[in-house]
Every structure is written in C-alpha cells, then in structure tokens.
Amino acid sequence: MRLTAIRAATQPHTLPSTSKHSPTFPSQYSKTPTLPFNKSQISWGNLKQDKDQCHSPKLGQNWMQYMGFNHWECLLDPLDDNLRSEILRYGHFIEAAYRSFDFNPSSSTYATCRYSKASLLARTGMRKPSYKVTKNLRATCGIKLPKWIDNVSKLPHIRSRSSWIGYVAVCHDKKEIARLGRREIVIALRGTGTCLEWFENLRATLTTLPNHMCGGCDGDGDGCGGEDDECMVENGFLSLYVSKTETSPSLQEMLREEVEKLIKTYRDEPLSITITGHSLGAALAILSAYDITTTVKHAPLVTVISFGGPRVGNDEFRRQLEHSGTRILRIVNSDDVITKVPGLVVRDGDVAGDGVHVGSLRGWLRRRVEDMQLVYADVGQELRLSSSDSQSPYLKGGDVATCHDLKTYLHLVNGFVSSSCPYMTEAWL
C-alpha cells in the first residue's frame, strides 16, 4: 500500500482517525513561514508519547490488528492515532540505540554500548521505561581486510570488525502489558555507524540465502528455492547478519539464542516480537524477522516497523516473507534516496520502481541488469510520507541527510493525517 502525503495540515489528535473528510482549516494556518532547517528544534518532547496520549482500550483489545495481522487494513489511510503513537514509540527505542552507541573513533570504547543493560533505556531519555534490556547485540563485518591494516593501531574505526548494533528488551511492567494486550519483546537496531558497515552497504549485488536461513523454503542445495526462483538478499546485509569472529558470535546466533530463551520463559502468556530499525537497522530487521519466523520453533507474531530502510531482497524473498507470516510496515520518506536503493524494482507488466520502465529497455540491457543480480522487490506494507510536502518550518532547506534522519521520520509521522488530507500545520507549532 502506498500512501502519498500531499500537503500539511492539522494536529493529529484533533482529527478522529475514522474521519472520512478533510477538516476545514483556519485561515491563519493556510501558510507556513519558510525557515532554514534546524534539526535541534525537532525535539523528542514535542512528539506524542504513547502512555500520555494513547489511553484507548482499543489498542489492547485489538493488538494483533495493530501489529499487522490484517496488514494494517483501515489503519494507514487515515493514520490511526493508536498506530501513530505506537510507531513513535518504536522510534524511541531506535533513538535509544543511537544514543547508546559510541561513535567516537578515538575513544577506547569505540563501537561499543556506552551504558549497562540496566541503565540503557533510562539514560537515553525514555521516561519510566516499562522494558528491561536482556541482551546486547553485535554485528560483524564479513569483509576480509588486508593483513597490514591489523598493524595500524591508529585506525580503530577500520579495524573494529564487530560493533554493538542494538539490543533486545522485554516489557515487564504490568500496566504496560495490560495496555498492550500482551507481553512484548522489542528488538531495536541502529543504522550505519562504522566504516566497515559502510563498506558492507556498498556490496549491493544479490546473493542466495543460505540453507540455515531457509526454514520456510522448499528448495535444497546451497540455498532457498530452485534454480529459477532462488531466494536472494543483498550481499552486505546478509554478511553483517551471519558473520562472526572467534570472540564474537554472529548477530543471527545472538538473536536466535535470546529469542528462543524468551519464548520459553513466557510461553504461557500472550506474546509478540517487534523488530524495529532505521536505515541499515531496517534492513537487518527484515532479515532477522524472516530468520525468526522460519527457523525458531513456536515463534509468536513477528512484526517489523522500519524507518528509512533500503531494499533487501528479490521477488522470491518477498514471497517467502509473505509465506512465513512476517508482518512488515515500512515508513518511507519519498525524498529519502536510501529507500530507493539498491538496484531496480521490477513489477508485473515490466515496470521498475521509481518510474523506470524496464520493458522500454533493450532486451540485452534488461538481461544484463538481471545478470548483475540487481533486481530487487519492495516488501510489506508502506506508509509513504514526504518531507518536501510537509510544510514543516523545521524541514525547509533540508538536505539528503536530513531527509534520511530518524528525527525527520518521526516528525513526519507525528503530523501525518492521510493521503487526501495534508499534514496539519498546527502539528509544527
């Protein structure tokens, strides 16, 4: 589902989510002043908080619908207020991952988590956290660097193959469990933070998904599917997910072990798993969700809420995702170039994404693109926003980085109403 935010308009909580008509706006809100972009003014305090703004029993009673069991039918256009609050809440989990990561290459703790598991959520600004962190997660680069780099002690940002990338947290507060309608496991993953992760991002060709991630596939041999319909994903993303070192297990191994332990611990309760990530974290969230749903026994409903994620795999991977029961909601900014890479998207009728008509290409060129393993597929449901159409005074003059920034995404979600009703200007005041 593609929702195109046209122009901006009202404060989300003033418009009932069931409204079928565009509201009438006061004349003083008809124009928005043009100001230079100032990201510091997009504060987390101005975003709606889940427990402060969302008291509706509708969430707990219908939690499976809000987690995508029916593919968010009738909840995205217009954007349901309960769903809006939940999307913002998951964004805060990702922000906690960013704030916890040591980005300073000259630091002795570079590429690690700055806080203990017990204090991580509280120290990163989450008010009265109802979740406890149970596992720190690391991702390892699979690129083999020249031996001489190991001897260059002044380049820790290149030598550090394994980096802290997020965490697993479990809801432990009884009131929050009652509000949610179940106990929730949240897996939060940050975006690219090291040079080696950037190198992996650039490995954009598709590669066959290995057997140990093919629990839901019928094929045999070296990977999913048969010879003509191989399940394939981006080379670099898969590398970060399955690579390991002698001292650090892979992200895949850490997630499987922790998820299996938590499922066993809470097997007698209603349970869900939500994997949320931004940018690189969004891509790894999709791989993680697929792996869990297809290989972990007794896995509950697994949902991905992603922000600004790149493409991950081919059309067969998309089909396997759907077959596995994984639910994916991708939050996409139309002005964010990261969401349009890597490769091309070919749909029915020989049409590639972003207006490229593959049918109009010469046959040899099309075959060449396919041979290069650069034909991708979009997955899941999509909530499409637009920073250029938002009329927010804080996004005027924003550059490429601004369009991809997590705060920009949550700023847009906070003000979005529907595809037919612009953003509400009051939301930016």
Side-chain angles (χ1 to χ4, degrees):
M1 178 181 292
R2 288 178 175 259
L3 307 178
T4 305
I6 304 180
R7 292 214 182 243
T10 71
Q11 197 163 0
H13 63 275
T14 64
L15 179 66
S17 61
T18 56
S19 173
K20 297 181 180 179
H21 304 285
S22 300
T24 301
F25 304 112
S27 59
Q28 64 266 35
Y29 298 137
S30 60
K31 294 183 178 181
T32 305
T34 300
L35 300 175
F37 175 74
N38 186 347
K39 189 165 61 177
S40 65
Q41 297 185 48
I42 304 179
S43 66
W44 294 104
N46 292 331
L47 299 177
K48 299 175 74 174
Q49 299 294 319
D50 57 314
K51 288 187 286 186
D52 293 342
Q53 299 290 342
C54 180
H55 300 284
S56 172
K58 181 179 177 183
L59 176 64
Q61 294 172 358
N62 301 283
W63 69 266
M64 293 187 71
Q65 281 69 36
Y66 282 98
M67 298 314 295
F69 184 75
N70 292 329
H71 305 284
W72 294 277
E73 183 177 359
C74 301
L75 295 176
L76 295 174
D77 194 4
L79 181 59
D80 181 271
D81 267 352
N82 287 310
L83 180 58
R84 181 200 319 280
S85 293
E86 290 302 285
I87 291 172
L88 294 176
R89 185 170 69 91
Y90 294 123
H92 296 160
F93 280 105
I94 304 171
E95 179 66 9
Y98 275 118
R99 292 181 176 181
S100 300
F101 185 70
D102 188 348
F103 285 93
N104 184 5
S106 62
S107 170
S108 61
T109 58
Y110 171 66
T112 66
C113 182
R114 299 163 58 209
Y115 309 119
S116 67
K117 290 189 295 184
S119 65
L120 188 155
L121 295 178
R123 296 194 65 177
T124 52
M126 295 189 73
R127 296 181 297 178
K128 297 180 180 179
S130 302
Y131 290 70
K132 60 180 178 181
V133 175
T134 64
K135 184 75 172 181
N136 282 310
L137 301 173
R138 299 181 67 84
T140 299
C141 173
I143 298 175
K144 294 183 178 180
L145 298 174
K147 292 183 178 180
W148 62 266
I149 291 184
D150 291 334
N151 299 321
V152 184
S153 59
K154 295 183 179 180
L155 297 177
H157 57 295
I158 293 180
R159 294 178 58 204
S160 181
R161 287 187 58 198
S162 184
S163 304
W164 185 87
I165 200 162
Y167 58 90
V168 180
V170 180
C171 185
H172 64 87
D173 182 79
K174 292 182 178 179
K175 290 184 178 179
E176 182 69 353
I177 292 172
R179 186 188 75 85
L180 295 173
R182 84 283 185 190
R183 188 184 296 271
E184 182 181 44
I185 300 169
V186 170
I187 301 169
L189 303 169
R190 63 164 175 81
T192 306
T194 70
C195 286
L196 292 182
E197 289 169 1
W198 277 113
F199 292 158
E200 291 282 33
N201 289 343
L202 297 176
R203 299 172 67 188
T205 55
L206 290 161
T207 187
T208 303
L209 206 63
N211 272 339
H212 64 276
M213 289 182 65
C214 296
C217 300
D218 298 324
D220 50 22
D222 294 330
C224 287
E227 293 182 359
D228 297 328
D229 295 311
E230 286 188 317
C231 192
M232 307 183 79
V233 296
E234 203 252 20
N235 204 337
F237 301 152
L238 180 63
S239 175
L240 285 168
Y241 187 63
V242 302
S243 297
K244 58 184 177 180
T245 66
E246 293 181 358
T247 57
S248 179
S250 67
L251 175 59
Q252 179 189 48
E253 291 171 335
M254 286 185 282
L255 274 177
R256 283 186 180 181
E257 178 185 2
E258 185 65 13
V259 167
E260 288 173 350
K261 182 185 75 174
L262 293 174
I263 290 174
K264 183 177 181 180
T265 301
Y266 302 111
R267 61 181 177 272
D268 297 327
E269 301 180 34
L271 186 68
S272 73
I273 299 175
T274 306
I275 311 178
T276 187
H278 170 248
S279 193
L280 169 63
L284 294 176
I286 290 175
L287 284 177
S288 303
Y290 176 76
D291 191 26
I292 291 170
T293 54
T294 56
T295 64
V296 175
K297 293 182 179 180
H298 311 298
L301 178 64
V302 179
T303 301
V304 173
I305 306 294
S306 75
F307 301 84
R311 297 164 184 155
V312 178
N314 66 354
D315 199 53
E316 180 61 24
F317 178 64
R318 177 190 60 79
R319 284 193 287 267
Q320 293 295 343
L321 270 172
E322 294 174 353
H323 178 73
S324 72
T326 306
R327 298 296 187 261
I328 300 171
L329 178 59
R330 295 182 300 112
I331 318 300
V332 174
N333 180 358
S334 296
D335 304 294
D336 181 3
V337 296
I338 299 300
T339 64
K340 302 174 183 179
V341 297
L344 295 173
V345 173
V346 179
R347 301 185 177 88
D348 294 338
D350 291 330
V351 177
D354 308 318
V356 180
H357 291 265
V358 176
S360 64
L361 300 177
R362 293 184 180 273
W364 65 268
L365 180 56
R366 178 181 175 181
R367 288 192 296 272
R368 180 59 176 163
V369 171
E370 292 174 343
D371 291 342
M372 292 173 64
Q373 304 296 355
L374 289 172
V375 178
Y376 282 74
D378 290 325
V379 300
Q381 300 296 102
E382 183 179 276
L383 176 62
R384 183 165 287 270
L385 312 170
S386 174
S387 55
S388 61
D389 290 340
S390 71
Q391 291 192 0
S392 168
Y394 306 123
L395 298 181
K396 296 298 180 181
D399 54 15
V400 173
T402 299
C403 292
H404 185 59
D405 191 87
L406 178 60
K407 284 188 179 181
T408 297
Y409 269 87
L410 298 190
H411 188 62
L412 292 172
V413 170
N414 193 53
F416 180 73
V417 179
S418 73
S419 59
S420 59
C421 173
Y423 292 94
M424 307 252 297
T425 305
E426 286 182 347
W428 315 135
L429 300 180

